Amino acid sequence: MATPSPTTIHDVYYSSTYVRLLFDYLSLQGLDAQQVLGEARPADADRGLGRYAGRHWRQMLERAAAALQDPLLGLHLGQQIRTAHLGVLGYVLHACRDVGAALLRWQQYDRLIAHVAQMDVRVEPHTVTIEWRNAPESMGALVDETALTALVQFARNITVGAPQIEAVRFPHPRPADVTPYEAYFGCPVLFDQPLPGVRFAADLLQQPLRQPDDALLDLMEQQARTLLAQLPAGDELEREVRQAITRQLQSGEPSLEPIATAMHITPRTLHRRLSDRGLQFRQLCDDTRRQLAENHLRDPRLSLAEVAWLLGYSEHSAFTRAFRRWTGVSPQQWRSGSG
């Protein structure tokens, strides 16, 4: 199987079916999900082709965790995963005969659910290790904990017996209390690891699933291949808008209207197309500025005032405030490496 090319920041996304998990969970907690998250639930009719940028998904989880006052949201949310939250892929996995067959299909069709990092499966004589490599940036504890909990929970949902996990690894710092993690996963849970991942006994690959159905599997795989073909290899619209934002920064604050005019579409159409991808113009401006800021700060020939000017800030103080919001440190601290 060909090795996928490395994911870039611009390509990171989660599918709308997966994002619906958060809306469903908030409703179960008695909250108005739309009010908490500040946006409408993804339409059921999009079959999972709606995409949410990685940082957008992280921000949604952060808002939900704050509203629920639940630092363990990822652990709790992932346990509510259901077949429908994985869209067509969920039904493909559900119809497989054993864990090994399901794992193979997950590798084939994982882009239907998310495109964040390369899924690396290592099968050794006694163990299987799944790790996610080449992510362009860390998505954070909430995102990783939701994803790995959902993976383990879904395996438990569809497998005969209780599949045992030998180890779970997270790249974020160890929390003060790991008891809830070990109680759920039933194995050592390691933090501060190079990559997120899980390890389990190789015998689990032969463990049968609860509802194998060859006819349904064939039908669902046909749908999965069709949907996969409809996913663009990259997002030209996002790249075009980011390039236009970069050009506009040379003359001040970017705005959507002139970019839409240059693209020969109406501002309303551009707003809708970005929204369909789970993107917002203000977020793109902010993220583009942050990336440019880091690139400029690596160039020792540029003063901090010049970097601020190149990013369209009329005052150095405004740039410093924005950079602190992005990174938690000042531009000078970031440049010197003390941040």
Side-chain angles (χ1 to χ4, degrees):
M1 191 173 174
T3 300
S5 48
T7 308
T8 68
I9 290 173
H10 311 319
D11 296 330
V12 172
Y13 66 80
Y14 294 85
S15 79
S16 54
T17 55
Y18 185 65
V19 169
R20 285 182 206 131
L21 170 64
L22 181 57
F23 283 81
D24 292 344
Y25 182 76
L26 287 170
S27 297
L28 284 173
Q29 305 308 308
L31 298 180
D32 183 330
Q34 181 167 332
Q35 183 177 16
V36 170
L37 301 175
E39 53 193 280
R41 175 188 169 89
D44 292 337
D46 69 13
R47 298 183 300 164
L49 288 175
R51 300 191 296 167
Y52 286 69
R55 289 180 181 168
H56 186 185
W57 173 234
R58 181 177 65 196
Q59 289 166 359
M60 294 172 74
L61 290 174
E62 288 169 350
R63 291 191 197 108
L68 292 165
Q69 298 183 347
D70 183 8
L72 296 176
L73 173 65
L75 193 63
H76 298 148
L77 177 63
Q79 293 179 49
Q80 298 302 314
I81 194 77
R82 298 294 179 266
T83 302
H85 295 133
L86 298 180
V88 170
L89 175 60
Y91 294 99
V92 167
L93 301 178
H94 211 288
C96 290
R97 289 195 168 272
D98 54 42
V99 171
L103 182 57
L104 178 62
R105 265 67 174 205
W106 189 295
Q107 287 182 278
Q108 289 176 312
Y109 306 121
D110 66 331
R111 282 185 62 225
L112 292 177
I113 294 303
H115 188 48
V116 183
Q118 178 185 336
M119 183 179 181
D120 180 29
V121 179
R122 297 198 310 276
V123 180
E124 297 171 307
H126 302 292
T127 62
V128 176
T129 301
I130 307 175
E131 293 177 331
W132 283 266
R133 300 177 176 274
N134 299 327
E137 62 176 344
S138 170
M139 285 290 101
L142 281 173
V143 173
D144 288 344
E145 289 179 9
T146 299
L148 289 190
T149 304
L151 172 67
V152 171
Q153 184 62 51
F154 192 75
R156 291 173 177 173
N157 291 349
I158 67 175
T159 305
V160 173
Q164 298 298 309
I165 306 298
E166 293 185 351
V168 176
R169 300 188 180 99
F170 290 111
H172 54 272
R174 176 186 174 94
D177 183 9
V178 300
T179 305
Y181 299 90
E182 293 176 343
Y184 172 72
F185 289 110
C187 66
V189 180
L190 308 176
F191 297 87
D192 294 300
Q193 300 297 298
L195 298 170
V198 296
R199 188 181 75 238
F200 54 88
D203 292 347
L204 182 57
L205 293 174
Q206 282 75 50
Q207 198 154 335
L209 302 191
R210 294 179 187 275
Q211 295 179 325
D213 188 325
D214 291 342
L216 179 62
L217 178 59
D218 287 344
L219 178 62
M220 289 295 101
E221 280 206 275
Q222 290 177 24
Q223 292 191 27
R225 287 191 290 269
T226 299
L227 290 176
L228 198 61
Q230 293 177 33
L231 287 175
D235 198 325
E236 294 298 330
L237 176 69
E238 182 179 346
R239 275 193 284 270
E240 188 174 353
V241 171
R242 285 181 181 272
Q243 290 170 358
I245 289 170
T246 301
R247 290 191 296 269
Q248 278 199 8
L249 285 172
Q250 298 171 8
S251 56
E253 189 72 23
S255 61
L256 184 141
E257 288 75 12
I259 291 177
T261 300
M263 294 172 65
H264 306 291
I265 57 177
T266 66
R268 182 175 181 179
T269 298
L270 178 55
H271 177 80
R272 176 178 56 77
R273 289 183 182 177
L274 289 173
S275 181
D276 288 345
R277 291 160 171 78
L279 300 170
Q280 296 179 3
F281 182 73
R282 284 295 108 200
Q283 288 178 325
L284 283 180
C285 288
D286 215 35
D287 186 58
T288 301
R289 268 180 161 161
R290 182 194 63 80
Q291 292 181 50
L292 288 171
E294 292 180 358
N295 289 337
H296 292 327
L297 288 171
R298 291 188 181 99
D299 187 344
R301 297 169 299 177
L302 294 174
S303 69
L304 296 182
E306 287 171 328
V307 173
W309 179 80
L310 287 170
L311 295 174
Y313 291 103
S314 57
E315 296 181 2
H316 180 269
S317 59
F319 167 52
T320 299
R321 287 195 299 272
F323 198 84
R324 281 190 180 278
R325 176 166 53 82
W326 298 328
T327 67
V329 298
S330 71
Q332 181 60 54
Q333 288 173 315
W334 193 93
R335 171 173 268 178
S336 65
S338 61

